[in-house]
Amino acid sequence: MDRMEFRLLGSIDAGVGGRRLELGPRKRRYVLAALLLDLNRPVPVERLIDAVWDGAPPDSARITVQGHVYRLRRALCGARLETTSSGYVLMADPDEVDALRFRRLVAAARGTDDAAGADLLEEALGLWRGPALGGPGGGKELEMAAIELEEARLAAVEDLARRLLRLGRPERAVAPLRSVVSGAPHRERLVSLLMTAFSRVGRQAEALELYERTRRWLADELGVDPTPELRDTFTALLSPQP
């Protein structure tokens, strides 16, 4: 039997055997995301409503959610989505859900040596296709879940970069760091790591330019100076190497 694939690390999507499933409108995808985030556990209808609507839901919310579940059940071949006394439960192997697999791989990297951990983290980060849960949208519950996933991504990139720098593989740290620093210039630890990686692959000018761009952004947007850690990285880049 072909393996199902559920994707939350980017647009909310699903497929089977390489074929993309037709899930329907955005609100139906929010229902699916809420079920996937509580995979194999019953999810009350009220929580599904909270996942779909930001603010006061319409009077028809319960009936609308039931309709979305009915159509999801058909799209997912029926057997996976079950009705409980208070709501619904989606049954699947956690490794079929990219967000859950990501968390498993990141957890597996903890406590391993740098080489093994870096391989696991690169596999985990390779699952990302865009903003978690497709970016802004849905209710507060999905918004918080997306923020938590994005924070986990940034932490994984930082862990990966530190391991690669210790291993003497700065060239492999550049791409994952650049992918997140551009959207998170306030994460100065990541900026510092990217500056270091740039420097170690002979891209000193890019490292210095990144510092100046970050310094201006911090001043203009937040009214603060760079942290001592970032300033120390900058100073080290200016110091002649022995």
Side-chain angles (χ1 to χ4, degrees), residues 88-110:
Y88 304 95
V89 58
L90 182 57
M91 306 298 295
D93 181 341
D95 259 8
E96 294 177 334
V97 184
D98 61 358
L100 302 183
R101 186 178 175 199
F102 166 77
R103 290 192 179 280
R104 179 183 65 78
L105 290 167
V106 169
R110 300 189 191 109

Side-chain angles (χ1 to χ4, degrees), residues 57-81:
D59 293 339
S60 60
R62 179 176 290 268
I63 294 174
T64 301
V65 165
Q66 290 170 346
H68 285 318
V69 169
Y70 170 76
R71 288 167 178 80
L72 282 172
R73 184 179 283 121
R74 294 182 64 183
L76 302 176
C77 307
R80 292 176 164 264
L81 185 46

Side-chain angles (χ1 to χ4, degrees), residues 81 129 155 222:
L81 185 46
R129 299 168 294 109
L222 302 180

Side-chain angles (χ1 to χ4, degrees), residues 185-188 213-227 230:
H186 59 291
R187 304 298 287 249
E188 293 178 69
R213 189 164 66 246
T214 302
R215 184 194 65 76
R216 289 198 305 268
W217 187 92
L218 291 169
D220 294 343
E221 299 296 326
L222 302 180
V224 299
D225 294 324
T227 60
L230 188 56

